[in-house]
Amino acid sequence: KPDREGKSRRAIRNISLSYLGKLAETDAEVKSVLNASFKEATNMTDQIAALAAIGATAGEDREKAIEAFYTQWKEEPLVMLKWLGLQAGSNLPGNLDVIRKLLDHEAFDIKNPNKVYSLIGGLTSSAVNYHAGDGSGYAFLADMVLKLDKMNPQVAARMVGPLSKYKKYDEKRQEMIKAQLNRILEAKPCDNVYEIVFKSL
């Protein structure tokens, strides 16, 4: 229903789905509700909300829903940005491996700034994977900044931003991020990236 009331109902329903997503791992009935919501969605907004809820739990249902959504919407560039960002921001442990695989997916193009912001930038919204205790999230982002620096310095400068805000984290994470920032400096990046990193340290 394309009016304020209909929009409000959809918003409430989709928020409810996000909460249900946290229960799906241990409740088969909830999992069934989420799968039905995904399959029966009549618009992209509702469908991606259901996909996000299903995606909160690892497993076959998640993989099938992700692939089905891609197949349906792959010709829509703006929708694909959401698809990339949703996967990148997942808090499933070990999701950095998924992001690495998506770097080679046909839906991603490192020369497209918006796709970079969605996939590589999307990682920074994951408390679990960006802030992983082993520092792998920070190292990955630094790797990408160095790669982008040789291709598009402006995009690299934007991507290094999250690393420059390390002072708001605990001491251990600050040290891990500073190590990555120093690694970037040692690579002698473009002026924009250098200035952001140098000032942050």
Side-chain angles (χ1 to χ4, degrees):
K1 188 178 180 180
D3 57 18
R4 183 178 298 178
E5 182 181 348
K7 185 176 180 180
S8 297
R9 286 177 177 172
R10 285 196 301 275
I12 292 171
R13 180 176 66 247
N14 292 339
I15 290 172
S16 299
L17 287 176
S18 71
Y19 289 131
L20 287 173
K22 302 179 186 303
L23 304 174
E25 187 172 7
T26 57
D27 192 317
E29 185 175 354
V30 168
K31 186 180 294 187
S32 178
V33 169
L34 295 180
N35 286 329
S37 296
F38 177 77
K39 293 174 183 176
E40 296 168 6
T42 58
N43 59 73
M44 186 277 295
T45 301
D46 289 352
Q47 194 174 34
I48 203 165
L51 176 61
I54 294 169
T57 300
E60 185 178 0
D61 287 346
R62 180 179 191 270
E63 300 307 315
K64 285 183 176 180
I66 286 172
E67 185 59 31
F69 189 91
Y70 174 72
T71 299
Q72 181 176 348
W73 296 101
K74 62 182 179 180
E75 302 301 330
E76 299 291 337
L78 294 180
V79 179
M80 285 295 96
L81 294 180
K82 293 178 179 292
W83 184 78
L84 290 168
L86 187 150
Q87 293 180 79
S90 172
N91 279 318
L92 288 176
N95 192 61
L96 191 56
D97 289 339
V98 172
I99 296 176
R100 288 195 177 100
K101 290 178 181 177
L102 284 170
L103 290 174
D104 296 321
H105 195 283
E106 62 181 359
F108 180 73
D109 180 358
I110 198 168
K111 295 178 182 178
N112 182 313
N114 288 330
K115 291 185 177 184
V116 170
Y117 303 147
S118 290
L119 182 60
I120 299 171
L123 167 66
T124 64
S125 66
S126 171
V128 172
N129 294 292
Y130 179 56
H131 297 293
D134 62 358
S136 57
Y138 309 139
F140 173 80
L141 184 56
D143 288 343
M144 291 296 101
V145 168
L146 290 172
K147 184 172 184 177
L148 288 162
D149 183 63
K150 296 179 174 64
M151 304 169 62
N152 191 327
Q154 289 183 322
V155 174
R158 178 166 169 176
M159 285 295 92
V160 81
L163 291 172
S164 72
K165 298 176 175 63
Y166 66 92
K167 293 178 182 177
K168 62 184 179 180
Y169 304 127
D170 61 79
E171 185 175 348
K172 177 185 175 183
R173 286 183 168 78
Q174 286 189 37
E175 291 304 313
M176 290 192 293
I177 296 174
K178 284 168 67 177
Q180 298 303 325
L181 289 171
N182 279 310
R183 182 163 71 92
I184 293 171
L185 277 188
E186 290 169 4
K188 299 180 180 180
C190 69
D191 291 344
N192 287 348
V193 171
Y194 186 93
E195 182 179 2
I196 293 170
V197 174
F198 183 79
K199 287 183 176 179
S200 73
L201 291 169

